[in-house]
Amino acid sequence: MSDNLKNEELNEYVSASTALDDEQRVKVLSPGMLVAKRFIRNKLAMIGLVILIFMFIFSFVGGQISPYGEAEVFRTTEVVLKDYAGATYSDEYLYTEQEGLKLPSAAISQFILAVNKKQDTFEAKGIQYSLIEEGQDFYRISGVSEIGKALTLRGISSYTETLEGSLTDTIKAGYEAAVKDGLSEFEVDGIVYLITKIGKENSIGTVQDIALATKRIFNTYANDTTLTYQFKFATLKAIEEDVKNFDVNGITYTITEGENDTATISTADGVNFASVSKLVVRPMSNDVFLSVDFKTLVENAIINGEKSIVYVDENGEENEYTITNKDKQYTIRRLQETVVNALYSEPSKEHFLGTDGNGMDILTRLMYGGRISLLIGFIAIGIEIFIGVILGGLAGYFGKWIDTAIMRLVDVFNCIPSMPLYIILGAVMDYYRLAPQTRIYLLCVILGLLSWPGIARMVRGQILSLREQEFMTAAEATGISVYRRIFKHLVPNVIPQLIVVATMGLGDIILVEATLSFLGLGVKYPFASWGNIINAVNDVYVMTNYLFVWIPAGMLILLTVLGFNFVGDGLRDAFDPKMKR
Amino acid sequence: METNREPLEQADYILEVKNLKKYFPIKGGFLNGPVGYVKAVDDISFAIKRGTTMGLVGESGCGKSTAGRTILRLLEKTDGQVLFDGQEVFSFNRKEMQEIRTKMQIIFQDPYSSLSPRLPVGEIIGEAVREHNIVKKEQFDEYITKIMNDCGLQEYHKDRYPHEFSGGQRQRICIARALALNPEFIVCDEPVSALDVSIQAQIINLLKELQEKFGLTYLFISHDLSVVEHISDTVGVMYLGGMVEIGNTKDIFSNPLHPYTKALFSAIPIPDPDAQINRIILEGSIPSPANPPSGCKFHTRCSECMEICKSEIPQVKDMGDGHIVACHLYNDK
């Protein structure tokens, strides 16, 4: 009895535990969960995923966090030697004209010829000039200054006055006497008048000092002082004659001779008025006024062969200047604090990865560049998938001539050498001077249009094999429409492979984009992309000296592509139904 | 069974197949044109009464499945007629065909590949129901649940995916999918061949139950003769695309006439160790349907082959009580 009972209990237990009851079955995961589980178990894929997540945060969030703009140029103050002034020995004559008189340029050239030939007269435009050597390289040029004209025919003269009343009766009488005697000059009241025959007319003029020519340079202490002919002449004369004092216009000046043919002229009350030297010191830019003190300092330094000087200007600023000599041309350069673009500045607190060749923050540009690189990747792959799935799906599902036509198109696209085409298209975009923004969009389209055949081929193959599956026949037997058969039964079964191919393709697209940008055909300044950041490294000097410019960008490209490939591989393994675990 | 085959009672026959042919072209040559034909179904005729089951047996490759699929117009016919409820199936246009598809359904042999792996079971069963507006939207869930219960599935199976089920359960899903459209006629294309024996019984019994409940008509394609004997009212035996013998199950199994049927049935194992096994072993293998033998297609392997068999195609002979055989050995009764 008890045995029977036991047996019954056992039977009940056995039947309860072995019954094919669903409550007893192990919970089975849905396909999506299964894939996710397999994917998470794949270490390499997780590394790739972490890399990609980092890249996305870096690119899309980083740009928002970064305090700098994409194309913000940073400036820095730098002490640079800047050309400040130039000095040279004057070996040209400088002319100072009498007030109201003019020494024509024709006369100047004739004067130089005359000096070289050591003549003491010369003629220019029919006017006689004479030159008087007053000292070394110091000439007084005098010429005939016309005061009137006379037309003398058979002893009767008619006059034309240059100035009202310039020809007085005594001058006229003197002129007539001279003409009668056939003389070419006459003297009235102690002034010598010259008669010059110009055509039928005679010109009556006085001999006057017109200008002085000297190689010495006059500098004034005050910016607004203009030195007159009289002053200069008196000064030079005094220097020649070694006279310490001279009067001009009732003012007494004192000359203090300095070294090396320099001299300082001061007024009676001891104020420096002007200086004379043989060196010309000129500022390099127009807005700089060089004080006589500075000029003197420079002159002394040049003569003494000094290489650098320290000058304290009127504002009390002490500056150091260096003097360099090249073919007797002296360049005075000042160590000056200048605001310059912070080119290739080393990594610092402000710029964690330094700045690039345009003075832009590299870290910020990497963030924005990543955004563009990834966006281009995604848009291009989107276009690729759109075209690929539609064409591949049509070819696979309908087969026959549609398949043949589309697959031949795929073959044609596969035959196009992509790099030359990219280069040509890049050049075309250059030719039309497209805006950088437009270029980015066009780049996406070009990349997408050229790389769809791979996806089309994959989709076609998948659909070709799926189409023959019995569940498709079942769908047909249950009278489900073609549209639903394609989009509910075929496409969801292609999606896993599509995701894998797209993920792998993203890496490729980013590489191509980087290549094009590196070659200057892709994304253009001011927009950043990882490729065109590396483009900065187009010479060995930058490559070896500014590692911080190109290594981060290179690493980002490497890591991103690696990440996409890892994730793609992981997805492929995860989607593969033959993979257990 | 009860009545003799009465050609006048047209409406009683849900399906009539007359001289159906299905040839597959063999492509080749320079222009990729047809260089020959595989005669998968070559001139078969039969009729099925409403509410009965016809078994279709034969070796692998004899055209059973092709015949089943051609009848459902999943393949286009080459010649002949398929009358469903007295209407030629191949005369329907696309829209009419979509409608008629709900009346005739198919259950496939392989329950693994006949379910889309990316759709949940509820969707697999309900998709076509929604497509054909068989029930109102409000009743949809209820209807699917009912169908699933009828087929031995639980309501919570709806959200599961096919790969979570065992073979028997999958076949139940396939049956539910077919049944959901409320069909009159179901082609069961070797529905139990891929299942183990205990599950086979479950499925066969389920099919029988459903037949009684809904008054279904089955065309039961199988190479498993004991299953066919169990379920069928009439049996058709096919050899190399042609129908060699049709008759009531009882007649055929107790008194097979055609030498091929005899050989085929002698292969049924008898569950009695003392029984004398009198097997007829067929020599050679089944000839290629692309190049069938002349005359009687079976003559190359027939133990009772005569000269006439090699040259003349045997005519169909009625041996009485709907027992039809195509063999030169017999004459019309």
Side-chain angles (χ1 to χ4, degrees), chain A residues 22 25 478 484 488-489, chain B residues 123 127 131-132 156 164:
Chain A
D22 281 274
R25 293 182 63 201
T478 47
R484 284 173 72 89
K488 269 195 99 172
H489 292 253
Chain B
E123 187 57 29
E127 192 185 12
E131 179 99 5
H132 294 291
Y156 61 83
E164 300 175 43

Side-chain angles (χ1 to χ4, degrees), chain A residues 319-336:
Chain A
N319 283 313
E320 199 186 336
Y321 300 86
T322 59
I323 300 167
T324 48
N325 177 13
K326 196 184 176 193
D327 295 339
K328 293 221 166 177
Q329 289 282 331
Y330 297 89
T331 312
I332 296 98
R333 290 198 287 189
R334 183 164 73 159
L335 281 171
Q336 202 170 24

Side-chain angles (χ1 to χ4, degrees), chain A residues 31-215:
Chain A
M33 283 303 292
L34 215 63
V35 166
K37 207 172 133 197
R38 287 205 206 111
F39 184 79
I40 288 167
R41 285 200 185 150
N42 188 334
K43 278 187 196 123
L44 219 52
M46 287 317 289
I47 292 173
L49 192 68
V50 169
I51 292 174
L52 290 187
I53 289 171
F54 168 76
M55 288 303 163
F56 275 85
I57 293 172
F58 177 77
S59 302
F60 289 92
V61 182
Q64 307 297 324
I65 292 173
S66 168
Y68 309 130
E70 182 179 7
E72 192 177 341
V73 176
F74 292 92
R75 296 175 151 256
T76 183
T77 52
E78 211 171 73
V79 178
V80 288
L81 280 174
K82 214 177 168 192
D83 285 2
Y84 183 68
T88 178
Y89 279 106
S90 170
D91 55 357
E92 275 179 27
Y93 285 100
L94 296 171
Y95 307 92
T96 311
E97 289 151 347
Q98 281 252 51
E99 214 171 325
L101 296 175
K102 189 99 186 105
L103 188 67
S105 51
I108 289 173
S109 49
Q110 288 299 323
F111 162 75
I112 291 164
L113 283 174
V115 170
N116 289 344
K117 288 179 186 166
K118 300 204 183 303
Q119 295 168 339
D120 53 3
T121 56
F122 64 91
E123 194 189 309
K125 295 236 170 122
I127 298 173
Q128 284 285 328
Y129 296 91
S130 61
L131 50 97
I132 302 113
E133 190 171 2
E134 298 277 358
Q136 194 198 346
D137 292 337
F138 170 33
Y139 294 92
R140 183 155 55 91
I141 303 165
S142 51
V144 180
S145 174
E146 192 180 73
I147 55 166
K149 282 189 181 124
L151 185 64
T152 309
L153 286 168
R154 292 182 196 111
I156 301 155
S157 303
S158 60
Y159 299 96
T160 320
E161 291 179 334
T162 309
L163 286 165
E164 189 68 31
S166 59
L167 291 177
T168 55
D169 287 345
T170 43
I171 295 170
K172 286 177 185 171
Y175 163 73
E176 281 165 14
V179 170
K180 202 180 268 175
D181 297 342
L183 297 172
S184 65
E185 58 178 79
F186 59 94
E187 199 178 322
V188 177
D189 297 334
I191 299 167
V192 178
Y193 294 92
L194 289 175
I195 302 162
T196 321
K197 204 170 169 77
I198 302 166
K200 285 177 180 173
E201 279 183 327
N202 284 330
S203 168
I204 305 162
T206 53
V207 177
Q208 265 187 319
D209 289 341
I210 294 176
L212 64 87
T214 178
K215 286 186 177 177

Side-chain angles (χ1 to χ4, degrees), chain A residues 468-520:
Chain A
E468 299 304 321
Q469 297 266 325
E470 246 167 14
F471 66 81
M472 288 309 293
T473 320
E476 196 189 343
T478 47
I480 289 166
S481 65
V482 173
Y483 173 83
R484 284 173 72 89
R485 257 183 271 162
I486 293 177
F487 288 98
K488 269 195 99 172
H489 292 253
L490 285 181
V491 172
N493 283 297
V494 179
I495 279 174
Q497 278 78 4
L498 208 57
I499 291 172
V500 173
V501 173
T503 317
M504 301 277 210
L506 263 171
D508 290 347
I509 295 261
I510 286 171
L511 273 187
V512 172
E513 185 275 324
T515 312
L516 291 182
S517 298
F518 176 76
L519 293 174

Side-chain angles (χ1 to χ4, degrees), chain A residues 539-569:
Chain A
D539 63 59
V540 178
Y541 183 78
V542 175
M543 194 180 90
T544 51
N545 287 277
Y546 304 120
L547 296 178
F548 56 87
V549 173
W550 59 274
I551 283 189
M555 289 301 290
L556 286 181
I557 294 177
L558 180 91
L559 283 176
T560 309
V561 175
L562 217 56
F564 276 121
N565 284 345
F566 282 168
V567 169
D569 272 339

